[in-house]
Amino acid sequence: MGHDEHDHAILFTPEFWDERYGSADRVWSGNPNPQLVSVVSPLTAGDALDVGAGEGADAIWLASRGWTVTAVDISRVALERAAALAGDLPISWQLTDVLSWEPGVDRYDLVSAQFMHLPSDELRDLHRRLAAAVRPGGMLLVVGHHPSDHEVPHLQRPDRADLLFTAEDVGVTLDPALWDVTASSPSRTILDDEGQTVEIRDAVLVAVRRAQ
Ligand SMILES: C[S@@+](CC[C@H](N)C(=O)[O-])C[C@H]1O[C@@H](n2cnc3c(N)ncnc32)[C@H](O)[C@@H]1O
């Protein structure tokens, strides 16, 4: 890869992500994220926003279950790949830099951000805007790599420790008068790049905005 991955700023540019997605026919598994499936399966479909949608597996899963989906990402390469996979499903793919973007207010029944890691100030600001975009009665679902994964040798992410967050970190930014918050850190097993089984931990924030 042409960039120094220790330079954090590069991780949030379209050039970095277009190069990453352009380096392989497929970067992610193609399966929807497990926390999305388990949390959202019981919900009634409505309008959903997928933030940092990547190759679109989550957006496609949501749309195939009846959700009308807006999917945003900074990588044109990823979005073109995702759109080709999605075919006629009702998904609006939007090339967007979420660092400078207003998703709107009271617009979505579900806002999902899966593994969208940014420096803490930018992330807090993004989560504030995502929370505002949730309708009364809707859900904000934020999933990330838990800080304890910093200790997992096979993941090789020592340079990114400051980008990791707990669900509690996110939850405290939400007004408890307006939100019912569940923060958890479930573990799951994945295969690393060498095919070895590794236990990792997700940070999972499920926040339901109280109906008014
Ligand atoms: C770790 S990937 C996660 C992709 C997808 N959510 C998933 O779980 O498979 C992070 C995604 O965030 C996107 N991204 C990074 N910085 C961004 C930014 N500033 N604005 C919008 N998307 C961004 C990347 O292009 C990438 O697709």
Side-chain angles (χ1 to χ4, degrees):
M1 196 162 295
H3 297 299
D4 176 1
E5 293 203 43
H6 293 261
D7 178 358
H8 279 164
I10 204 74
L11 292 172
F12 318 114
T13 63
E15 291 77 16
F16 172 86
W17 286 100
D18 279 343
E19 187 176 319
R20 174 112 194 247
Y21 284 113
S23 69
D25 290 340
R26 196 177 73 186
V27 171
W28 311 119
S29 71
N31 300 319
N33 280 301
Q35 307 299 345
L36 177 80
V37 172
S38 82
V39 172
V40 173
S41 287
L43 302 184
T44 302
D47 295 315
L49 174 65
D50 183 15
V51 182
E55 292 166 318
D58 286 359
I60 290 169
W61 179 82
L62 286 164
S64 67
R65 296 181 67 88
W67 292 82
T68 300
V69 183
T70 301
V72 304
D73 201 281
I74 203 170
S75 168
R76 184 183 298 279
V77 175
L79 290 182
E80 287 177 354
R81 183 171 298 164
L85 287 168
D88 293 335
L89 286 168
I91 303 171
S92 170
W93 303 101
Q94 298 185 5
L95 187 63
T96 303
D97 182 347
V98 300
L99 292 177
S100 55
W101 157 79
E102 289 292 341
V105 173
D106 295 355
R107 277 186 55 183
Y108 299 100
D109 304 294
L110 171 69
V111 174
S112 173
Q114 304 269 335
F115 305 103
M116 183 77 236
H117 290 270
L118 297 170
S120 55
D121 287 353
E122 283 85 349
L123 192 69
R124 198 174 310 112
D125 190 53
L126 173 63
H127 289 156
R128 181 186 56 70
R129 286 176 279 131
L130 297 183
V134 176
R135 288 182 180 136
M139 176 185 287
L140 174 65
L141 173 61
V142 177
V143 179
H145 298 293
H146 190 274
S148 64
D149 278 1
H150 178 51
E151 307 297 331
V152 178
H154 293 294
L155 291 183
Q156 305 279 335
R157 303 199 171 91
D159 56 326
R160 303 190 193 182
D162 59 321
L163 300 181
L164 306 180
F165 58 85
T166 65
E168 288 80 3
D169 293 338
V170 185
V172 294
T173 68
L174 297 172
D175 180 350
L178 298 179
W179 296 89
D180 289 316
V181 171
T182 307
S184 62
S185 49
S187 56
R188 62 190 166 98
T189 301
I190 60 161
L191 293 179
D192 70 9
D193 290 345
E194 278 108 46
Q196 303 293 316
T197 301
V198 184
E199 187 169 279
I200 64 167
R201 195 172 284 281
D202 292 329
V204 181
L205 173 92
V206 180
V208 177
R209 186 171 163 192
R210 300 210 173 101
Q212 289 159 342

